Amino acid sequence: MIKKFSFLIGILLFGLHYGQGQKKEQLQKQNADLKKQIAQINTDLAKTRSESKLSIAYLTNVNKKLVLREKVYNNTQKEKRFIEDEIYLRQLEINRQNRELAILRKNYAEVLVNAYKNKGVQNKVTFILSSKNLGEALRRVQYLKQYSDYQDKKAAEITTAATEIQKSIAQKKKSATEKENLLVNQKKDLATINVERVQKEQLVADFKKNEARITAELKQKQTQSKALEGQIRAIIAEEIRIAKAEEEARKKAEAEKIRLAKIAAEREKARIEAEAKAKAEALERERKLAEAEAKKASELAAKRAEEERKRTEDAAKAEANSRDEARKIAAKKASDEAALKAKEATDKLNAARAAEDALARKKEADKKAAESKAMTNFGVSTASGNNFAANKGKLGMPIAGTITHRFGRQPHPVFKNIMEENNGIKISVSKGAVARCVFPGTVSSILPASDGTKTVIIKHGDYFTLYSNLSSNSVSKNQQVSAGTPVGTVAQDFDGTYTLDFQVWNGSTPVDPLGWVSY
């Protein structure tokens, strides 16, 4: 029963070290990553604190930091439970080892008592010399050796068991110390979380104290955004109109090119057809002549073969003489010559037929080449269209930062009675940050706003990307740009933060940029 129990505890401990050990490492790694993120947020908050605390970007970072703090605390709670389980199972292991050690010591004591009582064993020399014969003496020597080895083995087992107990106790103490350190860190984390919750509540309270001013600024910003949206829609509508007109003109020009190219191609095909027809007629005459020659040669070969056969039969019936033998040889020679001519005629016929087939294939290939050449000469376009749509979900972000406003109609993060309509996303960045183009295209327009900021519109075939709230632009109208080209420097917003307004339009319809970029 004790052995079964020991085996069960051993399995539990192995599972604990293998399974929970991995989970503990994962939790510790997660916490290390979370703490790095928290440190980065603290750095960002320190940079923006001097600009404005009453900003959605600042509040977003405070909320994000609080969420990360709570994740760290929850991970620490899980790690503490793992350690507590480890301590409990370790204590079970120590109890089991103590019981096994007590049994080992009891058994060893019985061995020593028996050895003391058995005088023959104690007096080994007398025990051996009292043997009746040499065989018995050798068996007694072997017995004494085995008995001594058994005593040594039991003593070694006791020493090993005692050592294992000491290791288990040390590991338990280590786990207990680890738990104490975790508890200390938990208290610190909990205190920090409480302080940051108070800071968040104070920040929200400050927002509400300034509700009238912030609401007025928001409304003014929304009015400016609506005016800018009207300009954007007008520009995009004009771009679409011009693109349609250009496309129609291009299609007409392309159709005319195709018409002229087809006429030229038909003329060239007719010339090729005429040349091929003349060559085909000549080849046909050659083929027919070859067929006639082959037929004549075949008939002659058959006739000569038949003559040879008859002469051979006649020579066999009559006694062959020198004249018959000569006639036989002559017939064999004539038959061989006729067969050779028949073969040459057949080869010539096959060559004539192959020439006709080759001419037919060449004619078709020349006609296709003539059509392709005509299309190229008349400038018929075969270029593929824009592939912006094919890269949906793969575009890079225009700038690194924190997304504070998402696409669509959404309530204000603090003032729930205020609804915001966003045609794109807003990204809070550090001072001096530069927005970059997300895909190759052409700069369609650069719009100045009433607050002094600028909006850059870049055309990508049927799609447009917009970069708003720029203090300066790095591109010019009609400029060809590639992915990563600097577009402009982000300006300071009304709340003191530096925010880029990024939009993606499919024709005249704004779409959610987060469905297009990889972030």
Side-chain angles (χ1 to χ4, degrees), residues 66 108 132-133 137 290 310 314 349 353 406 494 503 514:
L66 193 54
Y108 188 64
K132 293 178 181 180
N133 52 48
K310 286 181 178 181
D314 292 343
L349 175 60
R353 286 171 177 168
R406 292 179 178 264
F494 74 93
Q503 301 177 25
L514 294 182

Side-chain angles (χ1 to χ4, degrees), residues 124-141:
K124 295 179 181 179
V125 176
T126 304
F127 181 64
I128 295 169
L129 292 176
S130 62
S131 301
K132 293 178 181 180
N133 52 48
L134 181 60
E136 185 178 348
L138 290 174
R139 284 194 296 273
R140 288 189 177 187
V141 169

Side-chain angles (χ1 to χ4, degrees), residues 254-267 374-375 378:
E254 193 78 4
E256 180 62 15
K257 288 177 185 177
I258 291 171
R259 187 184 70 80
L260 294 174
K262 283 183 176 180
I263 292 172
E266 290 302 322
R267 288 174 182 167
M375 292 292 179
F378 280 87

Side-chain angles (χ1 to χ4, degrees), residues 39 73 257 309 316 325 352 406:
Y73 181 80
K257 288 177 185 177
R309 186 184 64 76
E325 188 65 26
R406 292 179 178 264

Side-chain angles (χ1 to χ4, degrees), residues 407-447:
F407 178 82
R409 183 176 174 80
Q410 304 193 10
H412 189 274
V414 179
F415 309 120
K416 303 301 180 184
N417 59 321
I418 298 177
M419 296 300 293
E420 293 183 302
E421 188 74 37
N422 300 315
N423 287 333
I425 58 172
K426 293 184 179 180
I427 309 168
S428 175
V429 299
S430 57
K431 184 179 180 180
V434 175
R436 297 180 181 275
C437 181
V438 299
F439 197 78
T442 305
V443 178
S444 173
S445 186
I446 299 171
L447 290 176

Side-chain angles (χ1 to χ4, degrees), residues 44-158:
D44 294 340
L45 288 172
K47 288 179 182 177
T48 57
R49 186 177 291 115
S50 59
E51 295 158 6
S52 175
K53 276 190 175 182
L54 292 183
S55 69
I56 300 304
Y58 195 92
L59 181 60
T60 300
N61 274 334
V62 169
N63 284 331
K64 187 176 179 181
K65 182 172 69 167
L66 193 54
V67 169
L68 294 175
R69 291 273 190 210
E70 288 172 348
K71 284 183 179 178
V72 170
Y73 181 80
N74 291 334
N75 283 347
T76 306
Q77 283 283 82
K78 292 176 184 177
E79 189 179 351
K80 187 185 77 166
R81 286 196 292 272
F82 288 148
I83 293 172
E84 287 171 347
D85 291 344
E86 189 178 76
I87 291 171
Y88 173 73
L89 289 176
R90 187 66 65 188
Q91 184 59 52
L92 290 179
E93 174 69 2
I94 291 169
N95 295 342
R96 178 190 67 78
Q97 290 171 336
N98 279 326
R99 284 193 294 272
E100 287 187 353
L101 181 59
I103 292 170
L104 288 172
R105 283 174 173 166
K106 181 182 176 183
N107 292 340
Y108 188 64
E110 290 174 356
V111 169
L112 294 178
V113 169
N114 289 335
Y116 177 76
K117 289 179 179 180
N118 192 340
K119 300 300 184 180
V121 175
Q122 282 186 336
N123 191 346
K124 295 179 181 179
V125 176
T126 304
F127 181 64
I128 295 169
L129 292 176
S130 62
S131 301
K132 293 178 181 180
N133 52 48
L134 181 60
E136 185 178 348
L138 290 174
R139 284 194 296 273
R140 288 189 177 187
V141 169
Q142 185 65 26
Y143 167 73
L144 289 173
K145 184 179 182 303
Q146 290 176 351
Y147 194 78
S148 177
D149 290 344
Y150 177 73
Q151 287 179 318
D152 292 342
K153 180 183 175 184
K154 291 299 177 184
E157 285 178 354
I158 291 171

Side-chain angles (χ1 to χ4, degrees), residues 472-491:
S472 62
N473 55 285
S474 308
V475 292
S476 55
K477 188 174 181 179
N478 297 325
Q479 179 182 336
Q480 298 291 320
V481 292
S482 58
T485 299
V487 174
T489 304
V490 179

